[in-house]
Amino acid sequence: MARSGAVGALVVAAHTAVNAWLLRNPAGSAPVRERVSVVLPVRDEADRVHTCLTALLASRDVADLEVLVYDDQSSDGTDTIVRKLAAEDPRLRVLTGPEPEPGWLGKPHACARAAREATGTVIVFVDADVTVAPHGVARAVGLLRGAGLDLVSPYPRQVAVSVPERLVQPLLQWSWLALLPLRAAERSARPSLTAANGQFLCVDAAAYARAGGHAAVRGAVLDDLALLRAVKRSGGRGVVADGTDLATTWMYDGWAPLRDGYAKSLWAAGGNPAASLGQLAGLAWLFVVPAVAALRGSRLGLVGYLAGVAGRVVAARRTGSRSWPDALAHPVSVGLLGQLTALSWWRRRRGTARWKGRLLDGPDHRTPAGRALDRPRRALTGLDGP
């Protein structure tokens, strides 16, 4: 086990390095000649929404910009902050609506309602915990058009401060850099070859409509992955890209919000308990077993452990994350991921998973279409959707 795991870890490290080289990097900012609609779904985001919107409204090289904020029944004063900003800038519109209908989750519902009002030829979806750089929107649109893609997901730089954050958050970027063949994923319509991040997602409006928009993914907890899969099924192309210089996000401040955030969605990364167990067993074989063998004096185990650390370092440096000493704890990170996955399935089975005050996934919550969309999953990709 230790020998084969070590060899596998070396292969994964090499693949991570190749992907880091192949990862699409947006070109420098250039004027965008088309209308761009930015959609921001919010629910109880009073502590974040001002920073997010101020950054979006300061976007450069996007002469024809509209920002559509869908306030999803906020109760913490979010609407007051947004309406004040809208009164000062005509490019900003505030939308509201009813509670999601049965079969809809909150974020897809909010995105779908706002997208109906979008008038741009490009729609950019952003989360409230994201701060977009002044050139971020223009460069994302430039990559979308320059690469001939229908959807591009520039992965924001992830801020991690506390120990739990530093153990878990780097796995987001590492997962798709290490495990997903990026060029094949860009061309392939296979559901398993998909990575996206709904925190910052740029899509051609016509391709979005052909794919059915967020109505096609209404019950998907990982709506970002599901939306890219819908775009691919309708004949489009899309991929994750380097968004390190385009946007920054601090998803979770400490253990409790991080735990609850991952517990709401990790079950969906596998689709069923057996698949989740298989994914975690594979990660343990590659990155935990060699480390344990190294502690027992195995030189080959040490090689495997160092390969896992090297892959983490490559991913961290490519995506603007902290390399040292965090990468040394990669086996611990994998173990913590296993615990969070178990918790996620526990809450899923009990029907107690909540986000923003709403139950997410009772056993009969999703529509048949939503369940079908969620079946195929790849380990760890897109775990951070709200």
Side-chain angles (χ1 to χ4, degrees), residues 168 221-222 259 261-271 276 279 336-342 344-345 380 383:
V168 177
V221 173
L222 301 179
R259 176 200 62 208
Y262 281 91
K264 82 181 189 310
S265 58
L266 274 174
W267 66 267
S276 290
Q279 292 167 357
L336 185 54
L337 175 69
Q339 295 182 38
L340 290 170
T341 302
S344 182
W345 273 110
L380 302 180
L383 297 181

Side-chain angles (χ1 to χ4, degrees), residues 96-386:
T96 59
E99 286 282 326
E101 297 177 359
W104 283 85
L105 291 181
K107 185 180 178 183
H109 177 258
C111 289
R113 300 275 299 199
R116 292 179 195 171
E117 303 294 324
T119 59
T121 53
V122 174
I123 304 176
V124 178
F125 295 94
V126 177
D127 284 354
D129 58 1
V130 174
T131 302
V132 178
H135 54 265
V137 172
R139 291 181 65 189
V141 175
L143 177 60
L144 180 79
R145 297 310 191 199
L149 298 170
D150 297 283
L151 184 151
V152 66
S153 179
Y155 218 99
R157 185 174 70 86
Q158 305 287 319
V159 176
V161 178
S162 67
V163 172
E165 295 168 62
R166 289 167 60 181
L167 284 172
V168 177
Q169 288 300 97
L171 294 178
L172 293 174
Q173 300 99 312
W174 169 84
S175 64
W176 48 265
L177 274 173
L179 305 174
L180 185 70
L182 290 178
R183 283 294 178 264
E186 189 173 307
R187 297 187 300 270
S188 174
R190 291 183 60 185
S192 60
L193 296 181
T194 304
N197 185 346
Q199 291 176 328
F200 189 16
L201 195 150
C202 182
V203 60
D204 175 78
Y208 177 79
R210 284 195 305 271
H214 277 84
V217 300
R218 67 191 70 182
V221 173
L222 301 179
D223 58 280
D224 42 16
L225 287 180
L227 182 62
L228 178 51
R229 286 172 179 148
V231 168
K232 287 184 173 184
R233 283 196 305 273
S234 64
R237 295 171 59 229
V239 76
V240 69
D242 182 16
T244 303
D245 296 331
L246 275 59
T248 302
T249 182
W250 187 1
M251 287 176 61
Y252 305 120
D253 182 8
W255 167 247
L258 181 146
R259 176 200 62 208
D260 293 340
Y262 281 91
K264 82 181 189 310
S265 58
L266 274 174
W267 66 267
N272 62 71
S276 290
L277 183 60
Q279 292 167 357
L280 292 172
L283 292 176
W285 165 59
L286 292 170
F287 305 111
V288 177
V289 171
V292 172
L295 290 175
R296 295 177 175 177
S298 169
R299 293 183 179 180
L300 193 55
L302 178 61
V303 170
Y305 164 70
L306 292 176
V309 170
R312 275 284 296 272
V313 170
V314 169
R317 290 185 174 177
R318 186 64 179 84
T319 58
S321 300
R322 190 196 310 259
S323 300
W324 304 105
D326 302 40
L328 296 173
H330 188 52
V332 179
S333 296
V334 172
L336 185 54
L337 175 69
Q339 295 182 38
L340 290 170
T341 302
L343 175 64
S344 182
W345 273 110
W346 172 256
R347 292 186 178 181
R348 164 69 174 169
R349 291 301 189 185
R350 290 171 58 89
T352 59
R354 288 181 175 271
W355 193 244
K356 299 291 184 180
R358 290 187 177 123
L359 281 171
L360 278 180
D361 49 46
D364 298 319
H365 177 83
R366 291 174 297 156
T367 62
R371 287 193 292 271
L373 281 167
D374 279 348
R375 283 185 193 121
R377 295 291 177 188
R378 185 174 185 87
L380 302 180
T381 52
L383 297 181
D384 47 328

